[in-house]
Amino acid sequence: MRRPLIFLLLVSPMALADYFSNPMAAYEKLQQLRAENKLPGLARDGVIVPQPLLLDKLRTAVNNEQMEVKALTLTPEKGTLQVLSRKGIDVLLTLDFKVVAVDWPKRSVMLEYSEATQSGSSSIWGRALGGVVLTAFESAAGREHLKGAVADKPYFVNNGKYMTIRLDQIPALQETLNWGVAGYKVFDYVGVKSIVTEKDQLRVKLGTF
């Protein structure tokens, strides 16, 4: 029983209640997640987050009427995220990123990134026309599409080629980060030391604080 409980805790601490109230349903859910490679794995000093699980989490956090996460690639050198932005004209934004620092007491992660854009239209003529409009738009307004896309989200702080993600400001993470036992918040004592991209996964090193 111990291993399924650990997996549920890593996916969502609140899932533990479901495990005890309906263990068969929780077990079947675990089997489904395992088949889809959407369960985190345990490493000697932390957690392995597979690409399908991270992609699902990103889509849940980012997708709306104006933005859609299309793809995520992870390699030892970098991560690459493709996001379709529908503000004005459809723009496919490709972001290459590396995690450069984690400040867990401040619940923040700093990324170094670069971006490239192309028309997001699905047709040949649409891509051609979109490319012309996009070139004109970039010439007039600059190429900082990511900065504009996250301007209304307080948990993203842009500083040139660096982006700081304030985890404690992300609504979807509030329940998890505030999870506690006997009045003590677990993540005040255990947290993230470092994050490294590897082939098709993230390696998250954990430690005590």
Side-chain angles (χ1 to χ4, degrees), residues 56-83:
D56 264 10
K57 296 295 185 182
L58 286 170
R59 283 173 169 163
T60 299
V62 174
N63 283 10
N64 54 41
E65 292 182 356
Q66 295 183 325
M67 297 184 68
E68 178 187 356
V69 174
K70 301 296 290 185
L72 172 67
T73 304
L74 299 172
T75 70
E77 294 75 31
K78 64 181 180 180
T80 300
L81 182 67
Q82 287 192 322
V83 180

Side-chain angles (χ1 to χ4, degrees), residues 14-198:
M14 302 306 135
L16 288 172
D18 294 335
Y19 185 92
F20 290 109
S21 64
N22 194 340
M24 183 56 67
Y27 177 78
E28 291 175 354
K29 180 63 175 179
L30 281 173
Q31 293 299 98
Q32 178 186 345
L33 292 173
R34 182 178 289 110
E36 297 172 351
N37 194 24
K38 293 181 180 178
L39 276 180
L42 299 177
R44 181 179 58 84
D45 57 355
V47 179
I48 301 298
V49 182
Q51 180 270 350
L53 173 59
L54 182 58
L55 181 59
D56 264 10
K57 296 295 185 182
L58 286 170
R59 283 173 169 163
T60 299
V62 174
N63 283 10
N64 54 41
E65 292 182 356
Q66 295 183 325
M67 297 184 68
E68 178 187 356
V69 174
K70 301 296 290 185
L72 172 67
T73 304
L74 299 172
T75 70
E77 294 75 31
K78 64 181 180 180
T80 300
L81 182 67
Q82 287 192 322
V83 180
L84 181 63
S85 175
R86 299 188 178 92
K87 292 186 177 181
I89 58 173
D90 284 0
V91 175
L92 186 62
L93 178 63
T94 300
L95 297 169
D96 290 332
F97 66 89
K98 292 187 292 185
V99 180
V100 295
V102 177
D103 187 342
W104 187 251
K106 293 184 178 180
R107 304 293 192 268
S108 66
V109 177
M110 179 180 289
L111 307 178
E112 180 180 358
Y113 75 94
S114 61
E115 64 180 36
T117 55
Q118 66 186 75
S119 170
S121 175
S122 59
S123 70
I124 295 176
W125 289 111
R127 286 196 298 270
L129 180 59
V132 171
V133 175
L134 181 58
T135 300
F137 172 79
E138 289 177 340
S139 299
R143 295 176 57 89
E144 295 183 332
H145 297 280
L146 178 61
K147 184 176 180 180
V150 301
D152 61 342
K153 296 177 174 58
Y155 40 87
F156 290 118
V157 180
N158 185 268
N159 183 18
K161 65 177 182 178
Y162 297 99
M163 177 72 69
T164 298
I165 305 173
R166 300 175 60 186
L167 302 177
D168 58 342
Q169 299 295 315
I170 300 177
L173 293 179
Q174 295 302 304
E175 191 175 39
T176 298
L177 291 177
N178 290 319
W179 182 68
V181 176
Y184 295 94
K185 293 183 180 180
V186 171
F187 293 109
D188 283 347
Y189 303 92
V190 178
V192 177
K193 290 285 190 180
S194 65
I195 302 174
V196 178
T197 58
E198 299 180 344

